[in-house]
Amino acid sequence: MQLIASPLSPFVRKVRVLLLETGLADQVTVVNLATTPLETDPNAASANPLGKIPALVREGGATLYDSRVITRYLDDLAGGGLYPQARLWEVLTLEATAEGIMEAALAMTYEARFRPEEMQYAPWVEAQWAKAARALDAVKARWMSHLAGPLDMSHIAMGCALGYLDFRHEARGWRAGRPALETWYAGFSARESMALTAPEAA
């Protein structure tokens, strides 16, 4: 299998962390591309008509795309138990919350990197941050006990979301007023799978 990827994408990082946690890393070749919303790499477009990454190219099967589809497939393949049936809806909801944080943060990044300065719209950027901040407050208020439980996919997704905030939006200071989440992330980010997949500035 091939994972069409970028080392800076938090959505790709989710998949890479899962591969390490489930022991599947040696079964998937990571193919890193330089693709943007304005210039889609042909290989990304070939794997996913939307041009988005990640995409998982399988031998003898349809290529899978959308990180949540890929992680469900790989977890099932490995028997990893990262989507436990007993708390499946909680796992999926918290994973979706983390993905929403990533999407808002990525939209902020794109606004700064791909729009000319005179076309950037500060109120829109602040609205994206407001989404992320509300999600973080919801995690603080309702999800800390879940994060304290056994490892599941929502933990990986949230760890990657917080890591992306540090990587691209550190000045926003997401830790302020959220000490329990800060403590959880400090421990989770020390996992080998997280350390091995940490993005480097480009």
Side-chain angles (χ1 to χ4, degrees):
M1 292 182 287
Q2 289 186 332
L3 181 68
I4 308 302
S6 162
L8 305 183
S9 165
F11 301 98
V12 169
R13 190 182 185 192
K14 274 181 54 187
V15 178
R16 294 179 62 214
V17 171
L18 177 146
L19 290 171
L20 291 166
E21 292 285 352
T22 58
L24 287 178
D26 61 349
Q27 298 184 36
V28 178
T29 301
V30 178
V31 180
N32 284 318
L33 306 176
T35 189
T36 77
L38 300 181
E39 296 184 15
T40 301
D41 185 284
N43 290 312
S46 176
N48 176 355
L50 300 173
K52 295 182 177 182
I53 52 174
L56 184 69
V57 181
R58 302 181 297 162
E59 295 182 11
T63 295
L64 305 180
Y65 45 87
D66 188 282
S67 64
R68 281 175 280 186
V69 174
I70 294 170
T71 54
R72 286 292 295 269
Y73 170 76
L74 291 172
D75 181 63
D76 185 69
L77 183 66
L82 294 174
Y83 290 95
Q85 191 62 40
R87 57 183 194 280
L88 179 61
W89 303 114
E90 289 78 8
V91 172
L92 292 175
T93 299
L94 185 54
E95 183 184 15
T97 302
E99 292 247 341
I101 293 170
M102 294 180 202
E103 288 166 359
L106 191 62
M108 293 167 65
T109 299
Y110 284 168
E111 184 77 2
R113 291 173 70 92
F114 298 112
R115 279 187 183 272
E117 187 174 356
E118 67 275 11
M119 295 179 65
Q120 294 174 22
Y121 188 49
W124 188 86
V125 173
E126 293 307 314
Q128 302 311 305
W129 178 249
K131 293 177 187 179
R134 286 196 303 269
L136 292 169
D137 286 339
V139 175
K140 168 188 171 181
R142 299 194 290 271
W143 292 99
M144 294 312 303
S145 61
H146 183 98
L147 289 174
L151 178 69
D152 62 42
M153 194 60 218
S154 68
H155 297 188
I156 294 173
M158 187 58 61
C160 293
L162 297 177
Y164 190 73
L165 293 183
D166 277 350
F167 179 56
R168 291 299 194 199
H169 304 292
E170 185 177 14
R172 293 281 179 169
W174 68 262
R175 291 169 175 79
R178 305 179 183 100
L181 187 57
E182 177 182 7
T183 298
W184 175 82
Y185 178 67
F188 192 80
S189 62
R191 295 179 75 92
E192 184 178 16
S193 60
M194 290 290 286
L196 290 173
T197 58
E200 297 181 3

